[in-house]
Amino acid sequence: DQQVKQNSPSLSVQEGRISILNCDYTNSMFDYFLWYKKYPAEGPTFLISISSIKDKNEDGRFTVFLNKSAKHLSLHIVPSQPGDSAVYFCAASLPSGGSYIPTFGRGTSLIVHP
Amino acid sequence: NAGVTQTPKFRVLKTGQSMTLLCAQDMNHEYMYWYRQDPGMGLRLIHYSVGEGTTAKGEVPDGYNVSRLKKQNFLLGLESAAPSQTSVYFCASSSSEGTDTQYFGPGTRLTVL
């Protein structure tokens, strides 16, 4: 049973608009969340993260929002650019110091049209 | 600083053949991981290691073995390849689990005929 779910396999957005990628999780003990970006034929690279003590983290055009009560996080990209076209993976992990390894969602493929 | 490297980049095997995938990292990371990525399945953890000489099973360990004889290297072995093991394999490393980001290699595309 998936503990981290990305229910939208794909998303298509016009350049300059906002892209919103969603992620839901089932384990309320998760307290750290990460987004990775993956281009074809390359390994994933870290994009942005958020701790459960926050509800928002921003890095340039990328903002991650966390709603703990809904067990939901979202990644906002504003404005979207064609170079953002990639697969985005959401990952969640338990408190640092534990033996748990991050759990990944299945990914959302974002296509940004010029 | 090469980061995480994987050897080979591509490989085609026949059913029943064996092979070893090599992962190397030059960041002095304690933790190393092997994932497989299949269409629509995301990244699934095969095995991981929390330090030199240690290994542990992940979500999908069957049919694979691993070894971490040196801190910088993490080997993934397939003793008797099966078509179900056709996948893209990614190695990753991190300084510790949990909140530390993982650094991924470029992947190995394996086809088992």
Side-chain angles (χ1 to χ4, degrees):
Chain A
D1 188 30
Q2 289 183 81
Q3 294 194 66
V4 178
K5 300 179 183 179
Q6 294 178 257
N7 292 318
S8 298
S10 63
L11 176 67
S12 182
V13 171
Q14 201 70 26
E15 180 179 6
R17 300 290 186 110
I18 183 171
S19 295
I20 300 176
L21 293 87
N22 294 306
C23 179
D24 296 293
Y25 59 96
T26 57
N27 188 341
S28 59
M29 298 299 292
F30 284 139
D31 79 337
Y32 198 77
F33 305 89
L34 309 97
W35 285 93
Y36 286 83
K37 176 178 181 179
K38 184 187 179 303
Y39 291 118
E42 295 183 10
T45 55
F46 170 73
L47 183 60
I48 192 169
S49 61
I50 187 167
S51 166
S52 60
I53 62 174
K54 295 184 176 181
D55 55 16
K56 176 183 174 181
N57 188 28
E58 193 172 353
D59 183 2
R61 297 186 296 113
F62 303 90
T63 302
V64 56
F65 295 92
L66 176 62
N67 182 333
K68 290 188 291 292
S69 61
K71 297 192 187 71
H72 176 83
L73 63 157
S74 60
L75 174 68
H76 293 212
I77 307 174
V78 182
S80 301
Q81 298 174 353
D84 296 329
S85 297
V87 176
Y88 291 79
F89 291 102
C90 170
S93 65
L94 294 178
S96 181
S99 59
Y100 217 79
I101 305 299
T103 299
F104 284 83
R106 294 186 175 184
T108 296
S109 177
L110 173 66
I111 300 173
V112 180
H113 297 281
Chain B
N1 191 339
V4 179
T5 58
Q6 292 182 233
T7 308
K9 287 186 169 52
F10 305 93
R11 186 71 186 269
V12 178
L13 288 179
K14 293 181 180 178
T15 297
Q17 286 185 319
S18 63
M19 77 162 295
T20 300
L21 282 68
L22 171 63
C23 176
Q25 54 94 4
D26 60 3
M27 296 173 283
N28 201 34
H29 284 167
E30 290 292 334
Y31 290 72
M32 296 187 75
Y33 316 79
W34 276 107
Y35 293 90
R36 59 179 288 174
Q37 186 194 10
D38 302 292
M41 297 300 292
L43 292 164
R44 293 186 293 171
L45 183 66
I46 304 171
H47 286 280
Y48 65 98
S49 168
V50 300
E52 180 179 323
T54 75
T55 64
K57 293 180 180 179
E59 179 186 357
V60 289
D62 293 342
Y64 305 95
N65 57 76
V66 288
S67 64
R68 183 99 181 268
L69 299 180
K70 293 183 178 181
K71 185 177 184 179
Q72 64 268 33
N73 295 337
F74 195 29
L75 278 63
L76 177 71
L78 287 73
E79 290 187 348
S80 180
S84 61
Q85 294 177 304
T86 293
S87 188
V88 181
Y89 292 85
F90 290 100
C91 176
S93 70
S94 67
S95 57
S96 69
E97 85 296 350
T99 61
D100 286 328
T101 60
Q102 293 172 303
Y103 294 82
F104 285 84
T108 294
R109 183 173 292 277
L110 175 66
T111 301
V112 183
L113 302 175

